[in-house]
Amino acid sequence: DHQHGQAVVSTQSTGSFKLFKFFLCALRQYFEYFVAFSRVDADDDRRINLEEFTSAKELMEKWVGPIADAEAEFAAIDLNEGGVVLFDEFCKWAITKALDLDDDDDAEMGENTQEKMEKLGTD
């Protein structure tokens, strides 16, 4: 029983809150990947071709670090070998590279969202 307006927080609602918080962090991370993908996708066709990828190499290196061979990296990202990088392929690559935009609000948050998601996943 709770008296005098005091709320009782169950472990189920605490678990639901952590799950919801994890969902929000994941959503934010995928939004960051979408922003990055859109910046590379110069013709806005929702696919990145080799020319767009190589043209954006310098920009992407700010987000993921050095890319030694852009053509080889593109081929590795293009998992279905369709000749273009789709958003889901880009996301898989971005996750492995810990992609972090240089102009987002991560610095204000104190740590990047991927680190926060990892912490939430282990709590």
Side-chain angles (χ1 to χ4, degrees):
D1 293 329
H2 52 284
Q3 299 173 348
H4 308 294
Q6 294 177 340
V8 175
V9 178
S10 72
T11 56
Q12 183 178 3
S13 66
T14 302
S16 296
F17 178 75
K18 283 185 177 183
L19 186 60
F20 183 67
K21 193 173 175 183
F22 181 82
F23 166 75
L24 290 178
C25 286
L27 185 62
R28 186 210 174 280
Q29 192 68 45
Y30 273 89
F31 180 73
E32 186 168 346
Y33 297 156
F34 181 76
V35 169
F37 182 88
S38 298
R39 290 179 183 175
V40 177
D41 179 23
D43 63 7
D44 293 324
D45 66 351
R46 309 254 182 196
R47 301 178 297 178
I48 297 172
N49 61 41
L50 180 59
E51 182 181 336
E52 290 170 322
F53 190 83
T54 55
S55 295
K57 179 180 181 270
E58 189 175 311
L59 177 63
M60 289 186 295
E61 287 180 327
K62 293 178 185 176
W63 309 331
V64 301
I67 299 172
D69 181 346
E71 289 187 27
E73 194 77 15
F74 180 87
I77 299 168
D78 182 18
L79 299 173
N80 69 0
E81 300 178 356
V84 293
V85 171
L86 304 175
F87 181 64
D88 67 320
E89 294 170 322
F90 184 83
C91 288
K92 289 174 186 170
W93 174 74
I95 290 167
T96 65
K97 295 291 187 175
L99 183 146
D100 187 27
L101 294 178
D102 57 339
D103 61 350
D104 68 349
D105 62 357
D106 283 349
E108 296 169 17
M109 295 172 66
E111 60 185 325
N112 76 36
T113 305
Q114 190 164 359
E115 289 171 353
K116 287 185 176 194
M117 288 175 56
E118 288 169 6
K119 286 180 184 177
L120 284 171
T122 60
D123 284 352

